[in-house]
Amino acid sequence: MRLPQTTQHYRSSGTTRIFYQRSFRSAVGVFFDLGKAYKSTWKFGIMRNLHNAGLRSRLPLFIESFLKNRQFHVRLGSSYSDLFNQEMGVPQGSILSVTLFGLKINSIVKTISPGVECSLYVDDFLICYRSKHIHIIEHHLQQCLNKLADWADTNGFKFSPSKTVCVHFSLLKPHSESTLLLNGTPVPVVEETKFLGVIFDRKLSFIPHIIHLKDKCTKALNLLRVLAHTSWGADQETLLHLYRSLIRSKLDYGCIVYGSARGTYLRMFDPIQNHALRLCMGAYNTSPASSLCVEANEPPLYFRRKNCHCSIA
């Protein structure tokens, strides 16, 4: 397998870009997991961040009254426990919880060392560094891990030591032992991990993600098989709507990332779309796939992936 001359992965927010070029032989990414992120959010820290953002007058007072004097109890059958004050955290399910949590965690990017790439989406966070030499990568990442540990202690968060993992992206032989430490605990080195719903493997072949996605779409096909009965099944428009919402949406998500995989791997999705369109259109098994796409007004999957790459670029 040859390393592509230039392969780019862009986050939708535009804040993170990770480049793999020929001159950089490897990259190491650390994927973090915040334990009980919403429950451990520091209320006073939220008010301090609001003040630092320049918000004054009634809005901070409203948010302060929204956060304070909250109580909870536990129900077991018909019995209730005593009331306890919720000293930390934001109420889950509230319309303001995600915004307040994002306001509190956004300061984590300020601790990142120069040259270290990062990606943050709500509580999903990673750092990455690339170089020809693994000891240089480990040196920069370890400095960044020390700063992140101090930030977590200052802001009341805690990284899960068992779910925070490290992946060495390289075509060369990986290092089986990790020398990166987070709060004195070695960060486990894994072959693959899931980040924002996409499984990243060590060689960035995306084979584990493609296999996982194919299994999910195959299970969703069972619903179309049931509803596509010739005598009492749903009509064509309803079946196509179900295909687009239950199957095509899964295939479209993350295609800007896993679309860089080999064409032979990506063609594993074509039979899923062809089978789904045959069920929706009531066509024979021998019907050409190109004709099914025209009748259903559905472009082929490779064209959708190509169009997605062009729109991002």
Side-chain angles (χ1 to χ4, degrees):
M1 183 183 295
R2 297 180 60 188
L3 195 64
Q5 186 172 3
T6 302
T7 303
Q8 301 180 357
H9 159 50
Y10 294 84
R11 283 290 311 279
S12 59
S13 61
T15 59
T16 304
R17 297 180 180 181
I18 301 176
F19 301 89
Y20 298 99
Q21 299 177 351
R22 183 182 297 273
S23 58
F24 296 100
R25 303 296 295 274
S26 61
V28 175
V30 181
F31 299 81
F32 294 88
D33 180 82
L34 284 172
K36 300 179 180 179
Y38 282 80
K39 295 181 180 179
S40 60
T41 305
W42 191 20
K43 294 182 180 181
F44 177 78
I46 294 176
M47 302 308 302
R48 185 178 60 183
N49 289 346
L50 288 173
H51 185 273
N52 295 336
L55 296 178
R56 302 292 189 272
S57 188
R58 297 182 179 180
L59 180 59
L61 295 177
F62 169 77
I63 295 178
E64 182 181 10
S65 62
F66 171 77
L67 293 175
K68 70 179 182 180
N69 297 330
R70 287 190 171 270
Q71 296 179 326
F72 69 93
H73 58 188
V74 180
R75 185 184 72 176
L76 180 60
S78 58
S79 302
Y80 291 86
S81 66
D82 297 333
L83 287 174
F84 297 93
N85 293 325
Q86 185 180 355
E87 299 179 357
M88 304 290 293
V90 293
Q92 298 193 29
S94 171
I95 192 173
L96 291 178
S97 298
V98 178
T99 302
L100 296 177
F101 176 80
L103 177 69
K104 188 70 193 74
I105 201 175
N106 277 345
S107 61
I108 194 174
V109 299
K110 298 180 181 179
T111 64
I112 304 302
S113 304
V116 179
E117 306 286 345
C118 70
S119 176
L120 174 65
Y121 184 80
V122 192
D123 60 340
D124 292 319
F125 180 64
L126 77 86
I127 59 174
C128 180
Y129 193 84
R130 50 190 172 87
S131 175
K132 294 181 181 179
H133 308 287
I134 188 64
H135 66 276
I136 296 179
I137 297 177
E138 293 176 346
H139 173 72
H140 285 83
L141 288 181
Q142 186 59 58
Q143 287 185 335
C144 191
L145 287 174
N146 296 336
K147 294 180 180 179
L148 290 172
D150 295 337
W151 174 89
D153 294 337
T154 304
N155 292 272
F157 290 106
K158 184 179 180 181
F159 295 112
S160 175
S162 59
K163 296 182 180 180
T164 299
V165 296
C166 171
V167 180
H168 181 200
F169 298 102
S170 176
L171 300 179
L172 305 177
K173 185 178 180 180
H175 291 260
S176 58
E177 297 183 359
S178 173
T179 59
L180 298 177
L181 300 177
L182 181 62
N183 291 324
T185 304
V187 180
V189 180
V190 296
E191 291 290 320
E192 61 188 49
T193 186
K194 180 181 287 187
F195 183 72
L196 294 177
V198 179
I199 301 176
F200 292 86
D201 60 286
R202 184 179 64 84
K203 294 185 178 181
L204 290 179
S205 63
F206 294 103
I207 296 178
H209 178 74
I210 291 174
I211 295 176
H212 175 71
L213 185 57
K214 182 182 177 182
D215 293 339
K216 290 177 61 177
C217 294
T218 302
K219 294 178 181 178
L221 276 175
N222 296 330
L223 179 61
L224 289 181
R225 292 191 183 98
V226 174
L227 297 178
H229 198 276
T230 55
S231 59
W232 51 265
D235 59 283
Q236 185 181 109
E237 183 179 356
T238 302
L239 292 174
L240 285 174
H241 180 74
L242 289 174
Y243 160 72
R244 291 163 183 155
S245 59
L246 298 179
I247 299 177
R248 196 186 70 178
S249 60
K250 294 183 176 65
L251 297 175
D252 286 346
Y253 177 78
C255 66
I256 185 63
V257 180
Y258 75 81
S260 60
R262 287 185 177 183
T264 53
Y265 303 152
L266 296 175
R267 282 194 287 271
M268 296 171 61
F269 297 134
D270 292 342
I272 295 177
Q273 185 190 45
N274 297 337
H275 191 181
L277 293 182
R278 287 190 179 96
L279 292 174
C280 295
M281 306 303 295
Y284 293 105
N285 293 333
T286 56
S287 302
S290 57
S291 301
L292 290 173
C293 292
V294 173
E295 290 293 332
N297 196 22
E298 281 291 327
L301 294 179
Y302 75 87
F303 185 80
R304 294 184 63 85
R305 290 190 294 266
K306 180 181 178 180
N307 190 32
C308 182
H309 279 271
C310 293
S311 61
I312 296 296

